[in-house]
Amino acid sequence: MLDIKILRENRKLVEEALAKRGSSLPLKNFYEKDEQRLDLLRKVEDLKHKRNMISKDIGVKKAQSEDASVLLQEVKSIGLEIDEYHKTLGVLEEELNSFVLTIPNIPHSSVVYGRTSEDNPVVKTWGQKKEFSFTPYVHDELALSLDIIDFEKGAKIATSGFSLSRGPGALLERALINFFLDVHTKEQGYTEVCIPFMVNGASMTGTGQLPKFKEDLFKIEGEDLYLIPTSEVPVTNIHAQEILEKASLPRYYTAYSPCFRKEAGSYGKDTKGLIRQHQFNKVEIVKLVEPQSSYDELESLLLDAEVLLQRLGLHYRVVNLCSGDLGFSAAKTYDIEVWLPGQNEYREISSCSNFEDFQARRAGIKYRPSKGEKPAFVHTLNGSGLAVGRTIVAILENYQQDDQSVVIPDALRPYMNGVTLLKPVQK
RNA sequence: GGAGAGGUGGCCGAGAGGCUGAAGGCAACCGCCUGCUAAGCGGUUUUCGUCGAAAGGCGAACGUGAGUUCGAAUCUCACCCUCUCCGCCA
């Protein structure tokens, strides 16, 4: 959520930001209503002040058993007036609030103008594309040959868009989760948290999934509960409605969770394989930091995610999302795109964002800059470290051999119970 | 699921229609005092909104929302949450 004061005082900035994102919102309407609201508010507060004064007098008179009937008359009519204004004010406030919740964040100055993912500038590259003496297979074919992932069973148990992993495949999943968490907690200073996989509507609003992206969430029928689309939601909301000690910042958290997404807007995209599923595992890293350091923290958060791919020996590039590709809540996002030789393209495997105070304002996460000073909003950041399903895709496609066997990367071996090679299974 | 108790400031805890943003204590901070420390004495310390250049003024907040009343932390209703006991259960 944007600061309503910035909206008021810096209309041009907001309009330019919206235009850069390629979205337009009826701001004119907002300004008119906001003015009306302030007008009414002042009136109501004046009247309340009057009423408070007279009420006090009534109390005094009654205590001295004097006649207060004149004052009672007067205050009663003030009350009626307040009621009337109050009603309109309530309606206005609700309209304005729900509108402000639908305005996206203002892109950071380092975000370039662009319309689609085609326009995202590449900011760095690590490693290089692996050469194969044969035409590399796509991961879903490999997974079938290795018998480690079963899409049909997933569809049978749930519906299409779900899968299950089996044997060394399930082990690989668990190994990656542990490897990621170990690096984050032992080497990078993150505190591991094990969080609820469902959250309430307030939490979803806090991080920006609601109200705009309802159609992408799985909701529990009859409850104010949603399956989380990423552990960013429960983790960022750990400190919702709190004022944190400055000394406790920055706070680094990491969490594993399954993620549930309807992918409502992506029907027909990536229908085969593990790339786009309704449920996938992910390890997330989250930071709550002081505003002045948040862009440095974004760079280091990005590195914390990159290291994982480097250890796994997977070639990737990093892109800086252009204005048109930027997510609703983010001010700046780096996507890490891993090379997939089977598909012959780069695919997003991690998304690292600085939300500045956008989420903090929605969720009410503050800190005290110094003694006696007013509380200020923290900046929140998060990134995948990493998406497990897509990492499996990358390992299968990059470490495949001509007989369709797949070599387990060295970094994962300590977690693989002695398994060093996945072999095709005769059926 | 059944029965009961309860939700007040950073924490503990009083208040049971008006002078209560809230006694008292703890904690923190600032003075004073004191070989050091501790103790003691005096003072300060919630948040949001609004007006203001600022000082400050005003409005709001005692789980949430609605109601009664001139006036609600205090009365009424609904909801949420926490705890205890019983049942069930990983």
Side-chain angles (χ1 to χ4, degrees):
Chain A
M1 181 164 62
L2 297 183
D3 187 349
I4 199 158
K5 283 180 187 149
I6 290 181
L7 268 168
R8 267 184 214 139
E9 290 157 17
N10 225 328
R11 177 167 176 173
K12 222 171 133 196
L13 178 84
V14 175
E15 281 175 338
E16 279 169 10
L18 284 174
K20 205 174 168 193
R21 277 177 176 273
S23 71
S24 63
L25 284 165
L27 280 177
K28 197 185 231 166
N29 200 18
F30 166 82
Y31 288 109
E32 280 166 17
K33 286 198 167 147
D34 183 50
E35 234 169 271
Q36 273 179 51
R37 188 191 71 99
L38 276 180
D39 234 41
L40 268 176
L41 183 68
R42 278 175 229 139
K43 270 187 200 153
V44 168
E45 289 194 348
D46 268 5
L47 287 170
K48 280 185 176 173
H49 176 54
K50 223 185 258 177
R51 180 174 70 184
N52 287 346
M53 301 304 280
I54 300 176
S55 287
K56 219 170 241 181
D57 283 350
I58 292 172
V60 173
K61 290 216 160 161
K62 287 214 165 163
Q64 300 168 344
S65 42
E66 284 175 35
D67 176 38
S69 57
V70 180
L71 292 179
L72 278 171
Q73 272 305 353
E74 194 178 340
V75 95
K76 200 158 202 169
S77 72
I78 293 178
L80 291 174
E81 213 175 336
I82 292 175
D83 279 350
E84 206 169 304
Y85 286 138
H86 190 78
K87 235 182 266 166
T88 347
L89 189 61
V91 174
L92 273 174
E93 270 173 356
E94 180 141 7
E95 276 179 49
L96 285 166
N97 276 339
S98 45
F99 175 71
V100 172
L101 285 175
T102 65
I103 305 176
N105 204 353
I106 296 172
H108 185 249
S109 58
S110 64
V111 173
V112 305
Y113 174 79
R115 298 189 57 207
T116 68
S117 56
E118 308 276 297
D119 303 322
N120 297 337
V122 176
V123 296
K124 57 177 141 173
T125 310
W126 184 89
Q128 46 196 309
K129 293 178 187 171
K130 206 158 184 174
E131 300 289 338
F132 290 89
S133 56
F134 55 98
T135 309
Y137 295 95
V138 294
H139 76 276
D140 43 299
E141 284 172 17
L142 291 164
L144 283 177
S145 315
L146 300 167
D147 195 32
I148 56 169
I149 294 162
D150 196 325
F151 296 98
E152 283 175 24
K153 290 277 191 282
K156 178 167 81 175
I157 301 164
T159 182
S160 72
F162 290 85
S163 63
L164 61 84
S165 57
R166 183 158 49 215
L171 176 61
L172 181 59
E173 198 119 12
R174 181 153 57 95
L176 283 166
I177 294 166
N178 285 330
F179 167 60
F180 294 160
L181 286 171
D182 278 355
V183 173
H184 296 318
T185 57
K186 291 184 189 168
E187 300 175 29
Q188 299 170 340
Y190 292 83
T191 301
E192 183 175 352
V193 284
C194 199
I195 34 78
F197 298 159
M198 292 185 212
V199 299
N200 57 33
S203 296
M204 285 294 189
T205 307
T207 34
Q209 281 73 21
L210 286 180
K212 268 197 105 171
F213 306 99
K214 205 162 109 198
E215 65 287 347
D216 212 27
L217 298 172
F218 288 102
K219 186 175 192 299
I220 307 300
E221 198 180 329
E223 310 269 348
D224 179 31
L225 283 173
Y226 301 80
L227 292 175
I228 57 172
T230 157
S231 38
E232 155 193 355
V233 181
V235 176
T236 307
N237 277 287
I238 289 174
H239 296 293
Q241 306 302 331
E242 290 183 16
I243 300 171
L244 300 168
E245 289 298 326
K246 180 191 165 93
S248 74
L249 297 177
R251 282 170 185 264
Y252 293 2
Y253 290 112
T254 183
Y256 150 76
S257 85
C259 304
F260 303 92
R261 299 181 183 181
K262 280 200 176 170
E263 299 292 354
S266 334
Y267 288 126
K269 252 194 228 167
D270 305 312
T271 46
K272 278 187 77 181
L274 275 185
I275 293 287
R276 198 174 297 278
Q277 297 267 289
H278 289 308
Q279 179 186 330
F280 60 95
N281 288 318
K282 181 158 63 70
V283 172
E284 188 79 359
I285 46 184
V286 175
K287 291 181 171 185
L288 307 183
V289 308
E290 293 186 62
Q292 69 273 12
S293 62
S294 71
Y295 279 94
D296 290 339
E297 294 280 2
L298 176 62
E299 295 302 319
S300 73
L301 181 124
L302 173 64
L303 286 175
D304 290 340
E306 283 182 56
V307 161
L308 301 170
L309 288 167
Q310 294 173 8
R311 299 270 179 92
L312 292 172
L314 294 168
H315 163 55
Y316 66 85
R317 66 181 190 187
V318 176
V319 298
N320 178 3
L321 295 195
C322 71
S323 59
D325 204 24
L326 199 61
F328 175 77
S329 303
K332 178 172 185 172
T333 298
Y334 290 117
D335 271 6
I336 305 177
E337 299 181 333
V338 70
W339 174 248
L340 300 179
Q343 334 225 339
N344 196 38
E345 61 181 352
Y346 291 97
R347 289 305 299 250
E348 174 196 337
I349 198 167
S350 171
S351 200
C352 300
S353 303
N354 185 358
F355 303 91
E356 297 187 358
D357 64 6
F358 189 85
Q359 294 182 325
R361 181 170 284 108
R362 289 172 160 244
I365 312 170
K366 299 185 167 185
Y367 79 108
R368 203 176 296 279
S370 65
K371 274 244 167 354
E373 222 178 310
K374 286 198 101 189
F377 291 109
V378 301
H379 280 193
T380 63
L381 302 92
N382 68 53
S384 349
L386 303 163
V388 174
R390 289 190 179 183
T391 307
I392 291 176
V393 172
I395 290 173
L396 294 182
E397 295 199 4
N398 281 283
Y399 282 90
Q400 61 180 302
Q401 305 185 114
D402 56 1
D403 64 350
Q404 293 201 332
S405 65
V406 172
V407 177
I408 298 296
D410 285 342
L412 274 185
R413 302 235 171 138
Y415 297 91
M416 284 298 287
N417 296 346
V419 177
T420 56
L421 186 72
L422 305 177
K423 288 177 214 138
V425 172
Q426 318 291 357
K427 284 206 207 166

